[in-house]
Each structure stands twice: as structure tokens, then as C-alpha cells.
Amino acid sequence: MHLKIDRAVYAAIVRAAQQAAPLEACGLCGGKDGHVTRFYELTNADASGEHYRLLPEEQFATVKDLRVHTADLLAIWHSHPSSPARMSVEDLRLAFTPETVYLIVSLAVPDEPELRGFTVHHGQPETVDITLTARETNEDAP
Ligand SMILES: [Zn+2]
């Protein structure tokens, strides 16, 4: 699987992760046809540096906003302030939706944030290839 992510969204995820550290930041991403163009930061209801929990009412409001913009929910993102960009045991346990990409940004190397994506089938993570795109890019150009 392959996901394109607008550079502005990537920058927003990194910024949110850095601002929330040492706690985990989390949120949702939306777009169309595997291209993420919309970023939402949600409350980490766990207020923890080792796990996160999205609030159902915020998720609902986000999905509603995506619909207004005729976009789909494409990814759930969260940060790992000090551990690698890998799905933790807890992350895998809570990954219920096989269609959703789970994005993790790691700040383990502070100057080199690392963003990785995964889908989870039957508790097993599969890596999703990520390409960062410029907003100016004309996707229809040959
Ligand atoms: Zn995690």
C-alpha cells in the first residue's frame, strides 16, 4: 500500500508532536484517493508519553468536517516522543480498522523526525510506503 502526504500535513504532524512532547500527540488525516491533504490534531485523552486515546466526540466532529470537504478519513496519526516509529504492542492491540493507515512520527532523534505508516491485519503490521507531495503539484500532469 502507498500513501501520498501533503508536505504541509507532514510539517503539521511534526510540529504537533514536538509541541506535545514529552506527551504523545495524536489526531486524524484525511484526503482523497490515497492522498492526504487535511490535518487534524485531537486531544490525547490519556495525556501520556507512552500511549494515546482519541475522544469519540472529536473523532465524530472530524469525520463530519471531512464530509463537508468531500474528503475521506485516511489515517490516524500519533507521536512517539522517545521510541522508534514502530507500532507498539498497545498500538497493534488498538488497531481495529484494516482500511486505515496508522501513521507514527518518532522524535527519538530530535533533529530527524521519522514518519512511518502501517496497516494492521490480524494484529500484524504491514509497512505503507509514504511519498511527500508539494501542494503546488498538479496531480493530473503527465
Ligand atoms: Zn504508539
Side-chain angles (χ1 to χ4, degrees), residues 24 49-50 78-86 88 91 104-109 114:
E24 289 194 4
E50 279 153 22
H78 73 284
S79 64
H80 283 178
S82 54
S83 60
R86 281 198 293 265
S88 70
D91 291 337
I104 299 178
V105 60
S106 167
L107 304 178
V109 184
E114 186 188 13

Side-chain angles (χ1 to χ4, degrees), residues 1 3-5 9 13 26-32 34-42 52 54 59 62-63 66 71-78 97 99-104 115-119 128 130:
M1 194 179 172
L3 196 67
K4 287 185 282 185
I5 301 179
V9 171
I13 291 174
C26 57
L28 303 173
C29 284
K32 265 286 173 208
H35 188 185
V36 172
T37 54
R38 305 192 72 85
F39 161 86
Y40 301 84
E41 182 176 12
L42 274 59
Y52 72 101
L54 300 171
Q59 283 181 275
T62 302
V63 170
L66 285 168
D72 301 315
L73 175 65
L74 295 180
I76 298 173
W77 67 268
H78 73 284
T97 42
E99 315 82 50
T100 305
V101 175
Y102 293 87
L103 294 171
I104 299 178
L115 182 72
R116 294 183 66 194
F118 305 89
T119 52
V128 172
I130 293 173

Side-chain angles (χ1 to χ4, degrees), residues 1 7-8 11-12 19 23 46 54 58 67 72 83 88 90 95 97-98 125:
M1 194 179 172
R7 269 183 202 283
Q19 281 169 0
L23 301 182
D46 283 349
L54 300 171
E58 290 186 1
R67 276 202 206 111
D72 301 315
S83 60
S88 70
E90 184 80 351
T97 42

